[in-house]
Amino acid sequence: MKPVQGDKHMARGSKVWFNGNIVPAEEAKISLFTHGLHYGSGAFEGIRAYAQKSGGGAVFRLEDHVQRLFDSVKILGFKIPFTKAQVVQACVDTCKANSFSECYIRPIVFVGDEQLGVFPGEDPKLNLAVLTWEWGSYLGDRGINEGAKLKISTYLRPHPNSAMTKGKITGQYVTGVLAKQEAKRQGFDEALLLDPEGFLTEGSGENLFMIRNGVVKTTPLTSVLNGITRQTVIDYFKHKDIPVLGERFTRDELYCADEVFMTGTAAEITPVQSVDSRIIGEGKPGPITRELQKNYQAIVRGELKLPYMKNWWTQV
């Protein structure tokens, strides 16, 4: 089954899962009065399936992603009208329907055509869709191979009382959209956002790590999304007996790091070449980052399975 061609960077799956059924993408339609379209009342996940060394494809940490989707919807005060097992199967079925062994998977839950004001009603009906598409390096091959150029944004990561940091909530991503636009228009690859007190948080869609004198630091979960790739990297470093500290740090500390990299399902492991035009380390991916990149690709493709990795691969 041939995927639908999207832009030059991806091929979109011609089939989607929508409210319980696999249907042609062009038939999965919603009302213009959809509450989630107007007010951002929805949640989503970004998941990847990878071709496996043993053959076929497998979705990486699918159950963890689905759990986070349910958490995000709970944070919004809603309830998904499907079980976790059904959503897991929906992701698998959508990959199979599009003959994808390697792709990006986007489950999205949103309030449908309900009340027209901000308040969606006491028990609004939720829609759930699963889309797939082929997606290469999120920040481009140059970013993966040479390192991305980052800019500290003029936009702040909202205070935890303003934006629920544990949820991938659709409406909350407008801050990241603005920050990313600002960075790209000024010639950078990605933005980094500070918290209201001036400490680093994350990128528009990635968690942030820095390395200095062999010690790894990452922003604590008090102000960032609990990334699945972030968790994978922390577990990997602990297995390698590399110290990992979850603590806040400032932009000037970041400037002086030996290595900096970002993590995310889309971004995978992306090294950082510079921040605010300050060269990081030697201006190229450092040895710890390079080894991590190599081993991460081996992990997601089933070539490296360590004892603590339980049920991290779901065949498609």
Side-chain angles (χ1 to χ4, degrees), residues 5-18:
Q5 293 302 311
D7 64 27
K8 64 181 181 179
H9 300 297
M10 66 182 75
R12 299 176 183 176
S14 61
K15 303 281 188 178
V16 302
W17 190 96
F18 188 54

Side-chain angles (χ1 to χ4, degrees), residues 208-223:
L208 178 66
F209 286 77
M210 63 164 283
I211 304 170
R212 182 75 187 269
N213 298 326
V215 176
V216 179
K217 282 188 182 182
T218 188
T219 311
L221 294 179
T222 51
S223 56

Side-chain angles (χ1 to χ4, degrees), residues 142 147-151 187-191 271-276:
R142 185 188 61 78
K149 299 177 181 180
L150 309 187
K151 177 192 183 297
F188 296 88
D189 299 312
E190 181 57 290
V272 173
Q273 183 185 75
S274 65
V275 179
D276 290 344

Side-chain angles (χ1 to χ4, degrees), residues 173-184:
Y173 272 74
V174 69
T175 303
V177 170
L178 292 168
K180 181 86 169 189
Q181 285 180 324
E182 177 185 62
K184 293 290 285 184

Side-chain angles (χ1 to χ4, degrees), residues 56-84:
V59 185
F60 186 62
R61 301 195 69 166
L62 176 55
E63 292 185 4
D64 293 319
H65 279 284
V66 170
Q67 178 62 60
R68 191 173 63 180
L69 180 66
F70 274 74
D71 290 345
S72 296
V73 174
K74 185 175 184 179
I75 288 168
L76 283 168
F78 305 140
K79 184 177 180 181
I80 295 177
F82 300 95
T83 66
K84 293 173 189 174

Side-chain angles (χ1 to χ4, degrees), residues 18-185:
F18 188 54
N19 289 334
N21 298 292
I22 296 288
V23 298
E26 63 271 14
E27 294 182 11
K29 298 178 180 180
I30 62 172
S31 166
L32 288 176
F33 293 96
T34 294
H35 193 275
L37 176 64
H38 292 264
Y39 300 109
S41 50
F44 69 98
E45 274 298 314
I47 313 170
R48 278 194 192 255
Y50 291 90
Q52 299 295 290
K53 182 180 180 180
S54 58
V59 185
F60 186 62
R61 301 195 69 166
L62 176 55
E63 292 185 4
D64 293 319
H65 279 284
V66 170
Q67 178 62 60
R68 191 173 63 180
L69 180 66
F70 274 74
D71 290 345
S72 296
V73 174
K74 185 175 184 179
I75 288 168
L76 283 168
F78 305 140
K79 184 177 180 181
I80 295 177
F82 300 95
T83 66
K84 293 173 189 174
Q86 287 175 316
V87 178
V88 166
Q89 191 62 48
C91 294
V92 171
D93 290 347
T94 309
C95 291
K96 288 181 177 179
N98 292 291
S99 300
F100 280 143
S101 60
E102 182 155 340
C103 64
Y104 189 82
I105 307 165
R106 169 57 52 80
I108 183 166
V109 182
F110 55 95
V111 179
D113 187 349
E114 301 287 327
Q115 296 183 192
L116 298 180
V118 173
F119 180 55
E122 291 292 348
D123 189 22
K125 179 183 177 182
L126 298 190
N127 293 276
L128 195 155
V130 181
L131 299 78
T132 56
W133 63 85
E134 293 181 332
W135 208 354
S137 302
Y138 182 61
L139 294 179
D141 292 340
R142 185 188 61 78
I144 287 290
N145 296 322
E146 300 176 20
K149 299 177 181 180
L150 309 187
K151 177 192 183 297
I152 305 295
S153 180
T154 61
Y155 296 94
L156 297 180
R157 180 72 155 84
H159 190 279
N161 284 340
S162 298
M164 303 292 98
T165 60
K166 300 300 178 292
K168 284 183 73 69
I169 296 168
T170 57
Q172 292 184 171
Y173 272 74
V174 69
T175 303
V177 170
L178 292 168
K180 181 86 169 189
Q181 285 180 324
E182 177 185 62
K184 293 290 285 184
R185 288 168 180 168

